[in-house]
């Protein structure tokens, strides 16, 4: 009956609306896509402008022999002018799109910079909450104490090294004297003279020489 038909119609309509809503929407063209299409159209118009100009020159060359050549040449020039106007309009549109794309890029850069600054601010705040003047002063005091302690340790090590070096010098002197005695003994046993002992006394001073006497004055 009519009631069943009404329900069936409502279901069909609801199903149709649902299918229309579920259909994926086409993505909006980006400025780069539009600029690329405009480039292709402008290049096409440039080709037509060049062809119209060449055709007009060809018909103008035949004007003296062909009565319709002038009209054809004027038609080619008219088409050339229309193409040029259309090209200029597309170039203006392309310029506006490029300017808008540039502004969009600048806006993205600005948004990125602002987000980075906000993140840095939040990080500084979080770090500042974990630090205070007292903790920093304590750290610097501890560092000064450690530096002073290391200086004392280095001084102590340097003193022990000097004492050890002095002891080594004494042992070397004794060993050298022993080797000298053994060498003298070997010399005596082999029939030679003994090596003279090394004298540590300072050399004797040279005798002073008298200054030469002044010559006697001559008699007058």
């Amino acid at each position: 009956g009519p009631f069943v038909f009404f329900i069936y119609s409502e279901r069909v309509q609801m199903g149709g609306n649902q299918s229309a809503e579920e259909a994926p929407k086409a993505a909006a063209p980006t400025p780069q896509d539009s600029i690329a299409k405009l480039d292709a159209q402008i290049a096409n118009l440039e080709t037509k402008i060049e062809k119209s100009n060449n055709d007009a020159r060809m018909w103008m060359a035949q004007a003296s022999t062909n009565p319709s050549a002038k009209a054809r040449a004027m038609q080619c020039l008219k088409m050339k002018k229309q193409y040029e106007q259309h090209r200029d309009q597309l170039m203006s549109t392309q310029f506006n799109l490029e300017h808008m794309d540039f502004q969009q890029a600048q806006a993205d850069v600005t948004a990125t910079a602002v987000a980075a600054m906000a993140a840095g601010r939040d990080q500084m705040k979080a770090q500042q909450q974990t630090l205070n003047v007292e903790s920093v002063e304590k750290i610097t005091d501890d560092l000064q104490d450690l530096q002073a302690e290391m200086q004392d340790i280095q001084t102590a090590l340097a003193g022990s090294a000097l004492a050890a070096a002095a002891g080594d010098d004494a042992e070397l002197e004794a060993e050298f004297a022993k080797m000298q005695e053994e060498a003298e003994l070997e010399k005596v046993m082999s029939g030679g003279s003994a090596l003279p002992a090394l004298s540590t006394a300072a050399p004797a001073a040279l005798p002073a020489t008298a200054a030469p006497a002044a010559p006697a004055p001559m008699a007058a």
Side-chain angles (χ1 to χ4, degrees):
F3 181 74
V4 175
F5 178 77
F6 175 76
I7 296 175
Y8 177 77
S9 301
E10 288 292 331
R11 289 182 178 179
V12 171
Q13 185 177 1
M14 291 176 61
N17 294 336
Q18 185 176 2
S19 300
E21 291 177 358
E22 292 178 356
K25 296 181 180 180
T30 63
Q32 292 82 3
D33 297 336
S34 301
I35 292 171
K37 290 181 179 179
L38 287 173
D39 280 335
Q41 293 179 2
I42 291 172
N44 187 23
L45 288 173
E46 290 285 354
T47 302
K48 291 182 178 181
I49 291 170
E50 184 178 2
K51 184 178 183 304
S52 299
N53 186 57
N54 294 335
D55 292 344
R57 290 179 180 273
M58 180 188 68
W59 289 116
M60 287 175 64
Q62 301 177 12
S64 58
T65 58
N66 188 351
S68 64
K70 182 178 178 180
R72 290 179 178 273
M74 295 298 292
Q75 184 68 22
C76 291
L77 292 176
K78 183 178 180 180
M79 293 177 63
K80 175 186 174 184
K81 185 176 181 180
Q82 291 178 354
Y83 290 147
E84 288 176 345
Q85 291 177 352
H86 192 197
R87 178 201 61 188
D88 294 341
Q89 291 176 356
L90 291 180
M91 291 178 67
S92 299
T93 304
Q94 185 183 35
F95 174 78
N96 293 332
L97 284 174
E98 290 177 348
H99 183 65
M100 183 181 65
D101 185 50
F102 175 76
Q103 289 181 337
Q104 181 63 40
Q106 291 296 320
D108 293 340
V109 172
T110 303
T112 302
V114 171
M117 293 174 63
R121 177 202 60 194
D122 296 339
Q123 185 176 3
M124 290 179 63
K125 284 184 177 181
Q127 292 176 349
Q128 190 175 7
Q129 291 177 357
T130 61
L131 296 175
N132 51 41
V133 178
E134 291 78 7
S135 62
V136 174
E137 290 179 350
K138 185 177 184 305
I139 291 173
T140 55
D141 292 340
D142 293 341
L143 289 175
Q144 291 178 357
D145 293 340
L146 289 173
Q147 291 176 356
E149 186 176 356
M150 290 299 298
Q151 186 66 30
D152 294 340
I153 293 173
Q154 292 176 359
T155 303
L157 290 175
S160 61
L162 291 175
D168 293 341
D169 292 340
E171 292 179 0
L172 293 175
E173 289 289 343
E175 186 175 357
F176 178 77
K178 182 179 179 181
M179 292 175 65
Q180 188 177 19
E181 292 177 359
E182 292 177 353
E184 291 178 355
L185 182 59
E186 291 179 358
K187 189 71 174 177
V188 171
M189 293 179 65
S190 62
S193 59
L195 293 175
L198 295 178
S199 175
T200 59
L206 296 175
T209 58
M218 298 179 64

